[in-house]
């Protein structure tokens, strides 16, 4: 069928979807799934999660009056189908591209996007706030109260914030519907006919109408207080648990539980959602779905197909570039080096919050499974768990993406730094990450970690430096240690080197000069070294025709390596010798590396003219790293102009 002749072509907005018959919805799902496959094969993005949520997405927009009713997505990986059905089908080919659709739902892009959802586990808390807020607002204005639905999945229920939200849901007056899109577990077998009967009974309209009328009758006669209502819910849940021979945490928290159901049966989903839509009180619908549903390669290897890059939509063959003669990714150097260190030091353990493949800790996990821990999407727990092991004499390497480490700030301070416990925090994806946008850029780590006492903070310029800093961090007496490095490849093909210690708080002079001192931290120093050599990197698409030779300046270059403690020997040399200093960092300018240098110079009586280059005081949107660097002024040409003064 030609796409222009299909049902999807007739759907610009959910109101168009709601004009269709229920019997037509399976075809809509098929076309929607095919559209996602075709588009993502040429414009990569998060693939398998959205395929698994197709039927749920269609059913939600079919039953609920969106955008008046609120759908609060958790983990935006699920929401590509949602984007396509809500006025963005024609724009979908621009997804994650500079100036195109955002990588994750955002109210700034569409009224159908009720909340932002780049990080996991926030949907229940946000949706509860919206449900309570809309109820209060509606009572003040006499308008109808919108329905609010939280859709949580992709492992997000393991996050602590989800349970904090659940705890409050059970004790707050609300009609919130929580949908658990469970794609990690197989569908449980039914336990006899009684369980099937209970599943049908719970969502039966007559049953729930009688139940509601009975509660209203008791309440009108003063026999139904809130405490008694909760008691009856507990009794109802206890009877269900006894008959079904199973219990669950949701019913224990006085949240009515329905399921598990097949999340790919669109007709059944519509029926259930219609019954739950007007039901009073908080409730949770548990659905079993399959990540990558409808595309065999993704169903077989969901982890690989979470974000597979470009692929042949017909054959499922992934289009992988030949990296034989390319430098390795920083994450792979980390993974290989961690295993190497762990084989030498039996105290080393590895901890990651649901990112063993993404951070390459799977390398150690395969060889030393008893010493590696994937704790799920729970960054705060990952930190405190690591601190607990460190207290007992182990040497944890806790690898967290920089943007996600923001969620564990208190744990880093309270549970690690105060006791100066020997935990090595490896912050992957530091700096600009590209197409995933502002929720994923590792922009703030240097600024938010720098004020914390007892932390050593460093950033390697290349793969050799990463290995040496990892070796240094696990030596006795180093305390709490932070190593930040970016997404993607380094610069050295011959990356293996001897594991040698680096003196903490020391940098390196890479180039001598007399007029201007350039101070860098991390891999961005490689760009500066290229500029100062007057070279161009064609592979990175840099068309800058300028040469540092033309500006007749003698420029010194220092790789500072450590943000904390700073190399005071280098800074004294720079303060005495240079009238102009330029600091360059792949992080926010406010409070980061440049600010640290500026503060040190002021404290020690030096007053050079200091130009700080870094990310601006605004959230940087999505695009390729090269495009974003040009926007924020960290591209080759702009840096060269700043060096010339």
């Amino acid at each position: 069928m030609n796409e222009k002749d299909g049902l999807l072509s007739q759907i610009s907005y959910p109101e168009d979807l709601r004009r269709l018959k229920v019997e037509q919805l399976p075809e809509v799902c098929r076309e929607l799934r095919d559209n996602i496959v075709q588009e993502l094969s040429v414009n990569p993005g998060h693939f398998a999660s959205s395929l698994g949520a197709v039927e749920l997405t269609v059913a939600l927009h079919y039953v609920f009056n969106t955008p008046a009713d609120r759908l609060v997505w958790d983990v935006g990986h699920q929401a590509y189908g949602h984007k396509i059905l809500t006025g963005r089908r024609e724009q979908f080919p621009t997804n994650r591209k500079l100036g195109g659709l955002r990588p994750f739902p955002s109210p700034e892009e569409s009224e159908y996007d009720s909340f932002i959802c780049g990080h996991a586990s926030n949907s229940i808390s946000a949706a509860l706030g919206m449900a309570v807020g809309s109820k209060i607002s509606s009572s003040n204005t006499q308008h109808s109260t919108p329905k609010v639905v939280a859709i949580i999945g992709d492992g997000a229920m393991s996050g602590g914030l989800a349970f904090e939200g659940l705890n409050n849901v059970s004790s707050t007056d609300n009609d919130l519907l929580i949908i658990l899109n469970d794609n990690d577990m197989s569908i449980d077998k039914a336990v006899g006919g009684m369980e099937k009967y209970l599943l049908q009974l719970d969502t039966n309209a007559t049953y729930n109408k009688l139940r509601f009328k009975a509660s209203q009758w008791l309440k009108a006669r003063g026999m139904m207080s809130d405490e008694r209502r909760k008691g009856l819910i507990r009794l109802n849940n206890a009877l269900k648990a006894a008959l079904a021979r199973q219990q669950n945490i949701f019913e224990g928290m006085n949240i009515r539980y329905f399921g598990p159901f097949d999340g790919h049966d669109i007709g059944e989903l519509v029926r259930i959602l219609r019954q739950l839509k007007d039901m009073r009180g908080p409730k949770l619908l548990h659905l079993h779905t399959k990540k990558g549903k409808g595309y065999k390669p993704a169903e077989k290897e969901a982890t690989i197909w979470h974000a597979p890059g470009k692929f042949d939509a017909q054959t499922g063959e992934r289009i992988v570039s030949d990296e034989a003669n390319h430098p390795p990714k920083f994450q792979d150097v980390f993974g290989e080096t961690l295993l190497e260190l762990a084989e030498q030091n039996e105290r080393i353990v590895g901890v990651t919050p649901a990112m063993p493949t993404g951070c390459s800790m799977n390398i150690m996990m395969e060889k030393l499974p008893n010493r590696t821990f994937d704790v799920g999407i729970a960054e705060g727990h990952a930190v405190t768990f690591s601190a607990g092991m460190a207290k007992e004499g182990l040497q944890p390497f806790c690898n967290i993406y920089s943007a996600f480490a923001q969620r564990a700030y208190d744990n880093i301070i309270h549970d690690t730094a105060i006791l100066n416990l020997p935990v090595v925090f490896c912050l992957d994806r530091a700096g600009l990450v590209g197409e995933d946008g502002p929720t994923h850029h590792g922009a703030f780590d240097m600024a938010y970690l720098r004020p914390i006492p007892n932390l050593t903070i460093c950033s390697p310029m290349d793969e050799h430096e990463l290995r040496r800093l990892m070796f240094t961090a696990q030596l006795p007496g180093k305390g709490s240690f932070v190593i930040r490095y970016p997404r993607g490849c380094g610069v050295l093909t011959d990356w293996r080197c001897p594991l040698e210690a680096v003196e903490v708080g020391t940098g390196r002079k890479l180039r001598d000069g007399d007029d201007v001192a350039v101070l860098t931290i991390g891999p961005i120093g490689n760009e500066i070294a290229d500029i100062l050599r007057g070279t161009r990197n064609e592979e990175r698409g840099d068309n800058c025709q300028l040469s540092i030779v033309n500006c007749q300046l003698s420029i010194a270059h220092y790789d500072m390596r450590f943000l904390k403690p700073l190399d005071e020997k280098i800074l004294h040399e720079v303060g005495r010798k240079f009238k102009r200093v330029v600091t360059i960092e792949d992080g926010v300018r406010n409070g980061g590396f440049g600010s640290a240098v500026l503060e040190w110079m002021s404290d020690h009586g030096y007053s050079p003219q200091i130009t700080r280059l870094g990310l601006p005081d605004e959230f940087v949107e999505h695009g390729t790293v090269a495009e974003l660097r040009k926007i924020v002024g960290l591209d080759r040409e702009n840096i060269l102009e700043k060096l010339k003064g």
Side-chain angles (χ1 to χ4, degrees):
M1 179 192 298
N2 189 301
E3 182 182 336
K4 294 182 179 180
D5 299 327
L7 291 174
L8 192 60
S9 65
Q10 303 172 29
I11 302 170
S12 296
Y13 291 94
E15 61 189 36
D16 303 318
L17 174 69
R18 292 190 278 269
R19 295 191 185 101
L20 301 178
K21 297 178 181 178
V22 173
E23 293 77 16
Q24 294 176 290
L25 298 185
E27 175 60 22
V28 174
C29 293
R30 189 195 67 77
E31 292 179 24
L32 182 58
R33 186 170 275 116
D34 185 61
N35 185 268
I36 293 172
V37 170
Q38 295 299 325
E39 292 294 347
L40 266 67
S41 68
V42 295
N43 181 28
H46 295 100
F47 183 73
S49 300
S50 284
L51 290 187
V54 163
E55 285 80 10
L56 173 58
T57 302
V58 171
L60 284 168
H61 282 294
Y62 190 75
V63 172
F64 287 90
N65 184 32
T66 55
D69 291 336
R70 322 276 201 253
L71 302 184
V72 184
W73 293 93
D74 201 313
V75 189
H77 304 152
Q78 307 176 87
Y80 285 170
H82 162 79
K83 284 176 177 277
I84 292 169
L85 291 176
T86 53
R88 289 168 278 185
R89 180 164 50 86
E90 296 298 325
Q91 294 174 279
F92 192 59
T94 72
N95 189 51
R96 303 176 85 242
K97 293 181 179 179
L98 184 67
L101 293 182
R102 297 167 187 252
F104 303 102
S106 169
E108 295 181 344
E109 180 175 283
S110 171
E111 63 178 335
Y112 289 90
D113 297 351
S114 297
F115 209 74
I116 195 164
C117 57
H119 295 181
S121 310
N122 69 335
S123 63
I124 297 175
S125 296
L128 177 60
M130 296 168 74
V132 171
S134 62
K135 179 173 284 192
I136 294 173
S137 299
S138 298
S139 65
N140 293 336
T141 61
Q142 304 303 313
H143 291 150
S144 60
T145 304
K147 313 296 182 185
V148 182
V149 184
I151 306 104
I152 187 167
D154 244 20
M157 192 60 87
S158 65
L161 181 60
F163 288 93
E164 293 177 26
L166 284 172
N167 182 60
N168 205 223
V169 164
S170 65
S171 61
T172 304
D173 181 23
N174 69 88
D175 300 321
L176 179 65
L177 170 60
I178 301 167
I179 296 180
L180 173 56
N181 178 20
D182 180 358
N183 57 20
D184 289 328
M185 299 169 59
S186 60
I187 297 175
D188 296 330
K189 292 182 179 179
V191 185
M194 179 58 73
E195 184 186 42
K196 292 181 180 179
Y197 169 74
L198 286 171
L199 290 174
Q200 293 294 324
L201 177 65
D202 278 346
T203 57
N204 181 273
T206 303
Y207 166 80
N208 281 292
K209 183 181 289 185
L210 290 172
R211 186 176 181 276
F212 177 69
K213 285 185 175 180
S215 68
Q216 290 297 96
W217 186 87
L218 291 170
K219 189 173 183 179
R221 286 156 180 75
M223 301 168 64
M224 179 64 77
S225 64
D226 284 344
E227 195 57 40
R228 285 185 176 179
R229 182 181 63 82
K230 292 177 181 178
L232 286 174
I233 291 174
R234 286 194 292 270
L235 176 61
N236 180 67
N237 290 339
L239 289 171
K240 284 168 58 183
L243 290 169
R245 298 196 295 276
Q246 63 181 10
Q247 177 61 284
N248 66 71
I249 189 172
F250 310 110
E251 291 178 340
M253 300 176 80
N254 291 328
I255 299 171
R256 295 194 65 191
Y257 171 86
F258 304 91
F261 292 98
D262 180 359
H264 298 301
D265 186 337
I266 184 68
E268 183 74 349
L269 282 178
V270 169
R271 182 192 73 81
I272 295 167
L273 289 173
R274 281 174 169 168
Q275 302 299 341
L276 297 181
K277 179 180 177 182
D278 296 313
M279 189 178 294
R280 297 290 304 277
K283 48 225 166 264
L284 185 140
L285 173 60
H286 184 182
L287 302 177
H288 277 306
T289 60
K290 189 172 186 62
K291 199 168 181 176
K293 175 69 174 178
Y295 194 69
K296 293 299 182 185
E299 289 185 13
K300 291 180 181 179
E301 297 180 290
T303 299
I304 292 175
W305 285 85
H306 175 72
K310 292 183 179 181
F311 60 94
D312 186 310
Q314 300 303 316
T315 67
E317 182 180 355
R318 294 172 62 221
I319 302 172
V320 181
S321 59
D322 182 10
E323 298 181 353
N325 296 316
H326 288 217
K329 294 178 180 178
F330 273 97
Q331 69 185 58
D332 292 335
V333 175
F334 160 81
E336 295 286 356
T337 303
L338 180 62
L339 174 61
E340 190 175 340
L341 289 170
E343 289 175 336
Q344 299 173 14
N345 182 350
E346 62 183 13
R347 296 170 48 249
I348 288 178
V349 291
V351 178
T352 177
M355 291 293 179
T357 303
C359 75
S360 294
M361 196 175 284
N362 60 317
I363 296 172
M364 178 177 169
M365 192 172 285
E366 292 171 4
K367 294 289 184 68
L368 301 171
N370 294 329
R371 290 164 59 187
T372 49
F373 304 90
D374 178 358
V375 300
I377 302 177
E379 292 84 3
H381 167 65
V383 171
T384 303
F385 174 57
S386 298
M389 288 194 288
K391 186 66 173 60
E392 291 302 309
L394 297 182
Q395 175 66 73
F397 276 72
C398 181
N399 190 303
I400 308 178
Y401 288 7
S402 171
F404 300 157
Q406 296 161 188
R407 297 151 59 89
Y409 192 54
D410 180 64
N411 308 78
I412 293 172
I413 297 173
H414 183 273
D415 301 333
T416 311
I418 288 177
L419 295 177
N420 199 19
L421 292 170
V423 178
V424 183
F425 296 107
C426 294
L427 303 188
D428 198 342
R429 270 64 167 179
L432 294 171
V433 298
E435 291 85 351
D436 282 341
T439 59
H440 283 58
H441 293 316
F444 306 105
D445 54 71
M446 287 192 287
Y448 71 67
L449 293 174
R450 187 166 71 88
I452 302 175
N454 288 339
L455 286 190
T456 295
I457 307 170
C458 60
S459 184
M461 185 168 158
D462 57 37
E463 298 91 325
H464 289 173
E465 287 288 288
L466 174 58
R467 285 171 55 80
R468 291 168 183 144
L469 288 169
M470 288 178 66
F471 176 78
T472 302
Q474 53 89 50
L475 294 174
K478 299 304 179 187
S480 305
F481 211 100
V482 178
I483 307 173
R484 74 183 301 266
Y485 51 90
R487 178 186 186 188
C489 297
V491 293
L492 303 175
T493 54
D494 183 18
W495 58 271
R496 291 191 183 273
C497 66
L499 293 171
E500 301 170 336
V502 174
E503 184 180 347
V504 171
T506 61
R508 306 178 295 170
K509 182 193 291 187
L510 302 180
R511 179 189 180 100
D512 205 356
D514 299 313
D515 299 318
V516 182
V518 180
L519 278 55
T520 62
I521 187 167
I524 200 167
N526 295 297
E527 302 283 344
I528 309 310
D530 281 351
I531 291 173
L532 297 181
R533 284 193 295 265
T535 61
R536 293 169 54 203
N537 194 326
E538 302 291 350
E539 189 176 303
R540 297 177 192 171
D542 193 340
N543 296 317
C544 176
Q545 301 295 325
L546 300 172
S547 170
I548 199 67
V549 177
N550 297 332
C551 69
Q552 302 300 313
L553 287 175
S554 176
I555 301 178
H557 181 200
Y558 299 86
D559 168 31
M560 293 300 289
R561 190 190 280 139
F562 286 88
L563 170 67
K564 186 176 183 181
L566 291 165
D567 188 328
E568 297 201 15
K569 183 178 179 181
I570 284 179
L571 292 180
H572 276 298
E573 175 182 317
V574 170
R576 285 193 296 264
K577 183 176 180 180
F578 296 95
K579 293 182 179 180
R580 283 189 58 220
V581 176
V582 178
T583 65
I584 305 176
E585 59 195 297
D586 191 9
V588 290
R589 194 165 54 235
N590 291 347
F593 167 63
S595 294
V597 172
L598 190 63
E599 292 166 13
W600 189 95
M601 290 292 178
S602 177
D603 290 345
H604 291 80
Y606 298 111
S607 55
Q609 176 190 336
I610 298 179
T611 300
R612 294 175 299 135
L613 300 185
L615 303 183
D617 186 24
E618 59 190 50
F619 290 105
V620 180
E621 290 301 331
H622 59 284
T624 67
V625 171
E627 289 170 335
L628 298 180
R629 281 193 173 179
K630 189 173 184 63
I631 290 172
V632 301
L634 288 179
D635 62 304
R636 186 185 185 96
E637 186 168 2
N638 186 71
I639 289 173
L640 184 52
E641 288 300 319
K642 294 295 184 183
L643 294 182
K644 289 180 177 182

